[in-house]
Amino acid sequence: MAASTVDECAVAGTLVAAEGRYGFAHELIRLAVEQDVASYQAAELHRMALTVLAREGANHAELAHHAEQAGDLAATLEHARAAADEAARLHSHREAIAQCRRALQVVQPLGAGDELRAELLDQLTRLHGLMDRWELAEEANREALVIRRRLGDPAQLSVTLRHRVLCLWRLCRADATAAAARELLDLTDRCSDTVEHAWALAYHCCVAGPEAMLETRLREADEAIRLGEAHGDREVVAHALQTRGTLLIMRGEDGLEDIRRALRVAQDSGNDAQAARACANLYELATAQLLHEEYDWVWDEGMRWCDDHEMRTWTLCLSAVRAQVLMRRGSPGAAIELAARALEQAISQVNRAHLHIPFLTSKVRRGDPGVHPALLAARSLAADSGDACWQLPIETAICELAWLADDAALVDAEVLRLYASTAGTEPWLRAALAAALARVGRLTTPPADPPSPYAEEIAGDHRAAAAAWRKRGCPYEAAVALACSADPALLEESLGVLLALGAEPAATKVRRLLRDAGVSRVARGPRSTTKAHPLGLTAREADVLTHLAAGLTNAQIVERLVLSPRTVDHHVSSVLAKLGVGNRADAARRAAELAPAT
């Protein structure tokens, strides 16, 4: 272009100068000019741009665009592959997917061969998986698998089969998942002292169905760790450590240290996806054991890590666990809001099954209509996964609904079948179901040595159960434990907490229980000042919380508020119960977390 023409465009505002170069003043102007250029001219201009920009060291994404528009297939493949790798290193997985697709489009016209196409399809499968696009991942993986079988390279086939196992598991296809994992293990059995066999063991022990013995799966995890360490593959070590920790917890032992170690190994070795997976697993398994306070840091650090590394699959996993924590802390509305935002998106079947747990359980507790059919649909999806970790909580929610509705018929044969078939595994989730069955009088065989607070509930020690729940920071569960007592005093205490939480379905049930117990004056609801308080505290309780947050002792609060020590003790206990905490420091922190305005 002549200099005078460039000057004319600059004066008119079409072009702008920056660092010795010219560019369009607006993207719309560029598009208008591009659309006005004839196709044969456009191709030539893109060829010129490709030559000049390649000489000047432009980024591969820009060069891939110009190569594609110029019809230069070889340059398109070269730069698109480089751009995909570069984007993946920068954790820009959407861009990496776009460049990988661009490269795939020219492989066949170029006659570049099946090996390259399979390699790109494997890469695309992995990238889609990181973004929770598992149906697209499975589509790419299916084509890659056909090619790998035809090429007959066992090592490369094992990589594609690993992707296959993960895709099918994420899509809740339990039988197909188990078959793929078995094929992977059989493929590598002939070369048992290899990294490929370590990965096969790690995947098999992770997804093996309920018929597989825990001891066998633990041995496979241990062997995968040993082989990974022997060959210096820290990624497989991190993967197998997480499975080992999960299996130990399923056996009723402490497996969290294995998962914490997996997180350290993954982060130290730069295995971003394994670090994200470890964060999600650690948060889920710790909070399933009601260790909400101790592992709150995982939510903050895990979400920051997953967001920074564009790991959407695991941001959704973490969100599901967070919704469960919010529900446990007495905030079902916040739990529903968080889960609903995730469920509105296109997400994998496993993440959908996971999110259904806090979403639907919170709806049960809030008394939303139409929740029973939704629970039955969630049951079906969880059953497709074959994993008790998704199935047991849905059955527990069905039992909660039966208790609130005084309708034991909702506890059907499927609930009882699952409870019976999971004996000896998932002690925390199964104990939760056992406690829920006990509330509706359908528990015939209590679990052996259930963990607290479920143990106290199942044993009928309602006061001790409520105290244990409060210590764990679960006010709703504490109130429900009290509601299962025949003692009117405990029922009234339960009603007070439920009214403060706004848990009207449970409060309605407790009012009915109080009337049945002969109590004539039953509270209808909190006073207007209590309703107005964001934490459901009375005016006096709000005063007490202010002094607690300031670090005052009970004796000092007695002096400040001119109340009796017994009255202050009562108010402090009530505040702790309503906030769902076990001590004064947590009460101050929870008040700031849930209601900054207080």
Side-chain angles (χ1 to χ4, degrees):
M1 183 181 289
S4 60
T5 305
V6 173
D7 289 340
E8 184 180 339
C9 291
V11 170
T14 305
L15 297 177
V16 292
E19 299 180 359
R21 303 176 67 178
Y22 285 92
F24 288 101
H26 196 281
E27 176 65 7
L28 291 176
I29 297 174
R30 187 193 69 78
L31 289 172
V33 171
E34 184 178 53
Q35 291 170 6
D36 199 43
V37 176
S39 58
Y40 72 92
Q41 291 177 312
E44 182 58 32
L45 289 171
H46 281 293
R47 272 193 292 274
M48 293 169 60
L50 177 62
T51 301
V52 172
L53 292 173
R55 188 169 60 241
E56 294 184 358
N59 66 65
H60 287 289
E62 192 173 4
L63 294 173
H65 165 71
H66 288 296
E68 183 180 47
Q69 296 301 312
D72 188 333
L73 301 184
T76 299
L77 179 61
E78 175 191 351
H79 294 300
R81 290 186 69 193
D85 291 341
E86 190 174 80
R89 281 195 301 273
L90 296 172
H91 316 299
S92 181
H93 298 130
R94 288 180 179 83
E95 175 64 17
I97 287 169
Q99 295 297 342
C100 200
R101 286 191 174 281
R102 174 177 273 159
L104 275 166
Q105 288 175 354
V106 300
V107 169
Q108 189 170 354
L110 267 175
D114 281 349
E115 179 61 42
L116 178 56
R117 183 166 185 81
E119 181 183 330
L120 287 167
L121 287 166
D122 280 339
Q123 184 179 9
L124 188 60
T125 300
R126 188 183 67 84
L127 291 167
H128 277 313
L130 296 175
M131 299 301 294
D132 207 46
R133 299 173 178 174
W134 290 98
E135 289 187 353
L136 292 173
E138 192 274 334
E139 182 182 316
N141 173 256
R142 201 177 334 123
E143 184 181 350
L145 194 59
V146 171
I147 297 172
R148 292 296 189 197
R149 292 191 196 284
R150 186 166 64 243
L151 293 175
D153 182 334
Q156 293 302 321
L157 176 58
S158 72
V159 173
T160 305
L161 275 172
R162 293 203 314 255
H163 292 318
R164 187 78 188 149
V165 174
L166 196 51
C167 287
L168 294 170
W169 183 81
R170 283 279 173 187
L171 293 172
C172 291
R173 301 180 192 172
D175 292 342
T177 301
R182 183 71 252 174
E183 181 184 357
L184 175 61
L185 196 59
D186 291 343
L187 176 70
T188 62
D189 265 344
R190 287 163 289 180
C191 44
S192 58
D193 190 25
T194 61
V195 170
E196 287 77 19
H197 190 57
W199 273 112
L201 289 165
Y203 272 71
H204 188 265
C205 69
C206 184
V207 304
E211 70 283 351
M213 297 294 292
L214 278 178
E215 294 302 322
T216 302
R217 296 171 70 183
L218 277 165
R219 284 196 297 272
E220 289 179 342
D222 287 338
E223 179 63 6
I225 294 166
R226 186 193 71 77
L227 285 171
E229 289 174 340
H231 289 279
D233 191 319
R234 303 186 75 188
E235 185 178 4
V236 73
V237 170
H239 189 289
L241 275 170
Q242 293 178 66
T243 302
R244 184 177 189 275
T246 302
L247 293 170
L248 287 174
I249 291 168
M250 289 173 64
R251 198 169 67 173
E253 300 176 27
D254 180 13
L256 292 179
E257 174 51 37
D258 276 339
I259 302 174
R260 290 194 297 269
R261 181 185 162 201
L263 178 58
R264 293 192 297 269
V265 168
Q267 289 181 328
D268 291 346
S269 57
N271 289 304
D272 301 335
Q274 286 300 329
R277 177 173 174 261
C279 286
N281 281 331
L282 183 58
Y283 196 38
E284 179 187 345
L285 292 166
T287 56
Q289 298 174 64
L290 308 178
L291 300 173
H292 305 140
E293 303 299 328
E294 298 91 325
Y295 284 86
D296 238 13
W297 61 271
V298 185
W299 163 249
D300 296 322
E301 292 187 20
M303 285 298 285
R304 186 161 51 248
W305 177 274
C306 292
D307 283 339
D308 289 348
H309 294 78
E310 202 171 20
M311 301 284 180
R312 183 170 174 268
T313 284
W314 291 282
T315 60
L316 290 164
C317 292
L318 285 165
S319 294
V321 182
R322 187 61 174 181
Q324 185 85 354
V325 170
L326 290 171
M327 181 190 73
R328 291 282 197 198
R329 288 177 172 170
S331 300
I336 289 170
E337 182 181 351
L338 176 58
R341 286 200 302 268
L343 286 166
E344 287 169 358
Q345 306 173 42
I347 61 176
S348 66
Q349 297 293 75
V350 157
N351 275 336
R352 189 168 296 279
H354 195 178
L355 284 156
H356 277 155
I357 295 167
F359 181 67
L360 295 176
T361 307
S362 294
K363 282 179 169 286
V364 167
R365 295 182 179 187
R366 202 170 66 173
D368 289 8
V371 71
H372 186 242
L375 283 168
L376 295 181
R379 165 192 278 177
S380 178
L381 176 58
D384 288 343
S385 75
D387 280 345
C389 64
W390 315 130
Q391 295 173 276
L392 287 164
I394 291 296
E395 303 304 332
T396 302
I398 290 173
C399 291
E400 281 201 35
L401 181 62
W403 180 76
L404 288 170
D406 283 326
D407 186 359
L410 294 176
V411 182
D412 58 17
E414 180 57 27
V415 179
L416 302 176
R417 184 205 64 77
L418 183 68
Y419 177 74
S421 68
T422 52
T425 186
E426 297 288 2
W428 285 89
L429 299 179
R430 192 167 183 270
L433 178 55
L437 284 167
R439 292 182 206 130
V440 291
R442 299 296 301 274
L443 180 64
T444 56
T445 307
D449 196 23
S452 175
Y454 302 113
E456 293 88 335
E457 277 207 59
I458 294 167
D461 191 345
H462 310 294
R463 191 183 296 276
W469 279 117
R470 281 195 294 269
K471 186 177 180 181
R472 300 280 192 171
C474 305
Y476 180 89
E477 284 79 0
V480 169
L482 293 173
C484 292
S485 169
D487 184 340
L490 295 186
L491 290 172
E492 287 183 336
E493 184 181 341
S494 169
L495 181 59
V497 175
L498 292 169
L499 289 173
L501 293 171
E504 188 54 39
T508 298
K509 181 179 178 72
V510 175
R511 287 193 199 99
R512 187 165 60 251
L513 292 171
L514 278 165
R515 286 192 292 270
D516 292 345
V519 178
S520 56
R521 298 185 62 185
V522 178
R524 300 303 306 169
R527 295 177 178 177
S528 58
T529 53
T530 305
K531 286 182 178 179
H533 193 280
L535 293 173
L537 304 183
T538 66
R540 182 58 77 193
E541 287 168 348
D543 291 338
V544 169
L545 179 57
T546 299
H547 292 309
L548 284 176
L552 272 64
T553 65
N554 281 20
Q556 291 170 322
I557 296 173
V558 166
E559 292 179 8
R560 294 288 180 90
L561 298 181
V562 195
L563 297 171
S564 72
R566 183 173 179 178
T567 300
V568 169
D569 288 345
H570 172 77
H571 284 317
V572 169
S573 296
S574 181
V575 167
L576 297 181
K578 288 181 179 180
L579 270 62
V581 297
N583 58 63
R584 309 159 83 87
D586 286 344
R589 184 170 59 79
R590 183 63 50 75
E593 175 187 308
L594 295 181
T598 62

